[in-house]
């Protein structure tokens, strides 16, 4: 799952950099991105990662699975340096290391447990959350640079977190018919589409590491809280302090990335409807 998400982040970032920057909350961005083979390959890797994460959520607490997704950022950064010749500043490398340290603390504090079903009020809350995230995304699309990457990436993370919350009890259904009849399936799909759109816009702002770090950290927190309160997720006895420390370190690293993360892509064209020239790496 970590490897699949790491490759997916890189490929989607490459495609987003070659697509005209969108300054509105426009679903057509996904259509434009789908015109790039690189993006479609990235989506394929993301689907693979999603399936693996879905299976992991059958027995593992959400804060462990969601935090593990963030480890894919290290894979993305490594591939970016090796393949695309990204130049990561020392501060960003240090913050990525700090982010992974926070995630490691979360991993060590997790205890496997079976999921409980969500109460009806929580299912309704997931439906309301879609509208709230979309409105916040609409208001945030004018932000640029690392700040835009982090804000939009964070909103994408919250959307993906809601999808993960829906997926945890859904993964424990016993048949395809039960899955199809469960409203959580459709909430999962809608939240995933909104998150995908927000992530595409976040990556267009220039800093992939900032966008993905913000997405992963913002996605881990709500899922962890809901999982612990409503789904029966557990922390190893005596390691509550480690889980708290892990969250604090992870969030601190993401907040710092709004200051130190630098653009890794530059759009050659700003004209609406015109795509930037594809470099040779596209092939």
């Amino acid at each position: 799952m970590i490897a699949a998400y790491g490759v997916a982040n890189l490929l989607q970032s490459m495609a987003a950099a070659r697509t005209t920057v969108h300054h509105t909350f426009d679903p057509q961005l996904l259509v434009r991105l789908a015109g790039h083979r690189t993006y479609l390959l990235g989506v394929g890797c993301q689907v693979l990662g999603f399936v693996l994460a879905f299976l992991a959520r059958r027995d593992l607490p959400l804060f462990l699975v969601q935090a593990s997704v963030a480890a894919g950022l290290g894979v993305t950064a490594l591939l970016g340096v090796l393949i695309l010749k990204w130049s990561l500043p020392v501060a960003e490398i240090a913050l990525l290391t700090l982010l992974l340290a926070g995630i490691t603390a979360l991993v060590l504090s997790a205890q496997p447990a079976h999921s409980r079903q969500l109460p009806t009020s929580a299912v309704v809350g997931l439906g309301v959350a879609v509208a709230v995230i979309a409105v916040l995304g609409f208001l945030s699309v004018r932000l640029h640079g690392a700040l835009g990457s982090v804000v939009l990436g964070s909103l994408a993370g919250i959307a993906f977190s809601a999808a993960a919350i829906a997926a945890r009890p859904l993964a424990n259904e016993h048949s395809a018919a039960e899955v199809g009849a469960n409203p959580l399936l459709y909430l999962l799909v809608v939240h995933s589409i909104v998150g995908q759109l927000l992530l595409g816009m976040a990556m267009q702002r220039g800093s992939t590491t900032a966008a993905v770090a913000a997405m992963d950290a913002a996605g881990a927190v709500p899922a962890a809280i809901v999982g612990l309160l409503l789904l029966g997720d557990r922390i190893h006895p005596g390691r509550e302090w480690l889980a708290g420390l892990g969250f604090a370190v992870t969030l601190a690293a993401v907040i710092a990335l709004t200051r130190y993360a630098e653009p890794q892509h530059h759009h050659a064209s700003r004209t609406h409807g015109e795509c930037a020239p594809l470099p040779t790496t596209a092939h």
Side-chain angles (χ1 to χ4, degrees):
M1 179 194 70
I2 292 171
Y5 274 126
V7 175
N9 292 334
L10 181 72
L11 294 175
Q12 292 181 37
S13 170
M14 291 167 60
R18 299 166 191 155
T19 306
T20 305
V21 177
H22 277 229
H23 301 293
T24 60
F25 192 72
D26 187 358
Q28 288 188 0
L29 173 60
L30 294 180
V31 177
R32 290 182 180 275
L33 288 172
H36 295 286
R37 287 174 298 172
T38 305
Y39 183 77
L40 294 178
L41 287 173
V43 170
C45 291
Q46 188 173 24
V47 169
L48 174 60
F50 174 83
V51 171
L52 295 172
F54 183 84
L55 296 175
R57 293 185 187 107
R58 294 179 62 182
D59 300 304
L60 299 178
L62 280 179
F63 69 85
L64 172 56
V65 178
Q66 294 307 105
S68 297
V69 170
L73 181 59
V75 176
T76 302
L78 178 61
L79 292 176
V81 171
L82 295 177
I83 298 175
L84 301 181
K85 309 303 179 185
W86 285 356
S87 178
L88 298 180
V90 175
E92 192 166 343
I93 294 174
L95 289 172
L96 286 173
T97 303
L98 190 64
L99 177 66
L100 293 178
I103 293 166
T104 300
L106 293 175
V107 171
L108 294 175
S109 64
Q111 183 177 17
H114 294 292
S115 173
R116 295 198 297 259
Q117 290 300 313
L118 276 175
T120 302
S121 58
V123 176
V124 173
L126 289 177
V128 174
V130 174
V132 174
I133 294 169
V135 170
L136 293 176
F138 178 81
L139 297 174
S140 303
V141 292
R142 294 291 178 180
L143 297 175
H144 302 287
L147 178 60
S149 293
V150 169
V151 172
L152 291 168
S154 296
L155 290 173
I158 296 173
F160 287 131
S161 180
I165 292 169
R168 173 94 156 105
L170 191 64
N172 287 276
E173 296 287 8
H174 300 293
S175 68
E178 291 179 349
V179 171
N182 196 322
L184 291 176
L185 172 64
Y186 307 100
L187 288 170
L188 184 157
V189 171
V190 173
H191 274 289
S192 296
I193 292 173
V194 171
Q196 195 68 27
L197 175 58
L198 289 165
L199 178 59
M201 291 190 296
M203 288 180 168
Q204 282 193 325
R205 268 62 190 168
S207 177
T208 297
T209 50
V212 177
M215 176 187 70
D216 291 336
V221 175
I225 294 174
V226 173
L228 290 169
L229 294 179
L230 300 178
L231 296 177
D233 291 357
R234 299 174 183 173
I235 298 174
H236 277 294
R239 297 184 186 177
E240 291 82 4
W241 67 272
L242 187 60
L245 179 63
F247 270 117
V249 169
T250 300
L251 291 177
V254 171
I255 293 172
L257 276 171
T258 65
R259 169 65 178 83
Y260 290 105
E262 296 181 1
Q264 290 141 345
H265 304 302
H266 300 280
H267 290 265
S269 173
R270 299 285 179 176
T271 304
H272 181 71
E274 181 182 350
C275 293
L278 295 178
T280 56
T281 52
H283 306 290

